[in-house]
Amino acid sequence: MSLEKHDLVHEFPEYREKIHQLKTTDHHFARLFAEYHDVDHEVYRLEQGAETASGEYLELRKKVRLQLKDQLFRSLQQA
């Protein structure tokens, strides 16, 4: 299984400029972006085995990452 990070710019390359703009002008978006970034890195470390956690915890963190990504995507579409 190939492990990869799911950073927002690679997930939505067509929104690269809008992501940058919103990170600097929209505090809510910037907070969600930072939280997404932290959760994505945590999931990546868990999948690599750099940190240990139960399978249930990993799945929970993946769900949190997906919820954050959905919120960020909605913000990008509305901006």
Side-chain angles (χ1 to χ4, degrees), residues 8-23 29 33 72-79:
L8 210 58
V9 173
H10 286 96
E11 292 289 311
F12 306 120
E14 67 276 16
Y15 289 107
R16 176 182 299 271
E17 291 178 28
K18 195 170 282 196
I19 290 169
H20 177 71
Q21 176 190 11
L22 289 174
K23 280 185 354 184
F29 184 89
F33 182 89
L72 289 161
F73 182 65
R74 280 193 301 275
S75 292
L76 287 167
Q77 287 180 313
Q78 293 172 358

Side-chain angles (χ1 to χ4, degrees), residues 30-50:
R31 184 186 59 76
L32 289 177
F33 182 89
E35 187 176 350
Y36 176 85
H37 179 76
D38 292 343
V39 172
D40 183 48
H41 281 285
E42 180 185 14
V43 168
Y44 184 73
R45 288 189 310 268
L46 291 169
E47 289 178 332
Q48 278 188 315

